[in-house]
Amino acid sequence: MKTIDVCLSPELMHLYPVYDKTVVVVDILRATSCMVTAFANGVESITPFANLEECLKMKLKGYVTAGERDGKKVDGFDKGNSPFEYTDDQVRGLKVAFTTTNGTQAIEKSRGAKEIIIGSFLNLNSVAKYLLLSDHNVLVVCAGWKGKVNLEDTLFAGALVDKLKDYLGPDCDAPLAAQHLYNIARHDMVGFLSASSHVKRLNKLNIHDDMKFCLTIDQFNVLPRLKNGELRLR
Ligand code: 3SL
């Protein structure tokens, strides 16, 4: 049986060899939810950057620059990190250079994996279907917040473990813990997360609608995958 493991924070990546794994990077609030929404609305590619200045330079090459630091759109960038900025025809055909506080850092730390795909509740089923057919063991990398564990990414990991429980075995206790948490929260994830640190942080920035949208399950049937440094639909 193939295995599934969960890295609850990018700071723990040194414990998880990735060279032979399919890594699912997740940042529910809000980076990977934005990426999935953008691809569902026709973006051509997203190039993730850990470094803000490197991302900004991509403007000179005709890229749309996007992302945030501490939840706020970066000065000089074209777009921020709300999924509502990546809907309808706003992004069709665009090449986007993207950097965020945690999500793109988690992608950076996952480099060297056999393959890297992007997960969110919005494309949960597409991720699960892909993993079922893949030959590799799976590691879910939760972006967390500045090295700390967060609830929303852990819930996604738990949802994935739960969905795949008959096909992929847990590789340590983190997937089991995530699965338990998801089963406690699954019927009211919005309520469950209302006390979470990042929801409070976003509320302080007057960002209220993004959370509900990012917790919608299977809104889109897309699977972004990292290839040659950029995310594209597989
Ligand atoms: O850290 C990230 O990658 C972001 O998703 C955080 S925020 O929701 O934009 O604050």
Side-chain angles (χ1 to χ4, degrees):
M1 200 186 213
K2 283 188 303 182
T3 60
I4 184 163
D5 211 340
V6 177
C7 177
L8 291 169
S9 154
E11 292 296 313
L12 300 173
M13 281 298 281
H14 61 282
L15 302 175
Y16 299 88
V18 293
Y19 68 92
D20 58 349
K21 303 227 171 48
T22 297
V23 166
V24 183
V25 176
V26 56
D27 184 351
I28 295 298
L29 297 175
R30 299 164 290 168
T32 60
S33 300
C34 280
M35 291 169 181
V36 166
T37 304
F39 278 105
N41 286 291
V43 79
E44 185 182 322
S45 68
I46 296 179
T47 309
F49 286 89
N51 182 282
L52 202 147
E53 284 73 30
E54 278 175 32
C55 185
L56 191 55
K57 276 188 210 154
M58 296 299 281
K59 228 177 195 175
L60 302 171
K61 295 187 179 172
Y63 282 68
V64 166
T65 50
E68 56 68 46
R69 282 296 179 271
D70 292 327
K72 296 179 210 130
K73 183 179 161 191
V74 179
D75 281 347
F77 274 36
D78 302 303
K79 285 180 177 292
N81 192 32
S82 168
F84 299 117
E85 293 176 77
Y86 300 87
T87 53
D88 303 327
D89 278 340
Q90 293 179 73
V91 290
R92 189 162 302 283
L94 296 182
K95 291 172 83 137
V96 178
F98 205 76
T99 183
T100 66
T101 310
N102 305 285
T104 59
Q105 318 297 326
I107 294 174
E108 185 65 32
K109 288 208 169 182
S110 303
R111 283 184 203 265
K114 196 86 189 165
E115 53 184 354
I116 298 175
I117 61 174
I118 297 299
S120 70
F121 283 112
L122 299 168
N123 70 336
L124 176 64
N125 202 41
S126 305
V127 172
K129 271 197 317 210
Y130 181 78
L131 295 177
L132 276 181
L133 297 176
S134 153
D135 292 332
H136 312 299
N137 292 331
V138 176
L139 178 67
V140 183
V141 174
C142 298
W145 181 262
K146 298 186 180 178
K148 295 182 180 173
V149 172
N150 74 23
L151 279 180
E152 61 274 15
D153 298 342
T154 309
L155 285 185
F156 169 84
L160 197 58
V161 171
D162 199 66
K163 214 171 175 56
L164 296 171
K165 60 179 180 292
D166 295 334
Y167 310 96
L168 272 73
D171 212 13
C172 76
D173 287 353
L176 292 174
Q179 186 184 10
H180 282 308
L181 201 64
Y182 172 67
N183 279 318
I184 291 168
R186 64 189 304 164
H187 298 299
D188 179 19
M189 288 202 287
V190 173
F192 187 83
L193 288 177
S194 61
S196 72
S197 54
H198 198 46
V199 167
K200 286 186 183 160
R201 204 173 286 123
L202 292 176
N203 281 340
K204 272 194 196 147
L205 295 172
N206 229 356
I207 298 167
H208 305 289
D209 296 338
D210 293 20
M211 178 179 69
K212 203 167 168 209
F213 180 79
C214 294
L215 295 176
T216 312
I217 293 184
D218 292 336
Q219 179 84 2
F220 303 124
N221 184 16
V222 294
L223 189 69
R225 186 174 160 183
L226 193 73
K227 214 171 174 194
N228 302 324
E230 60 180 21
L231 293 164
R232 285 183 178 263
L233 287 185
R234 70 173 204 97

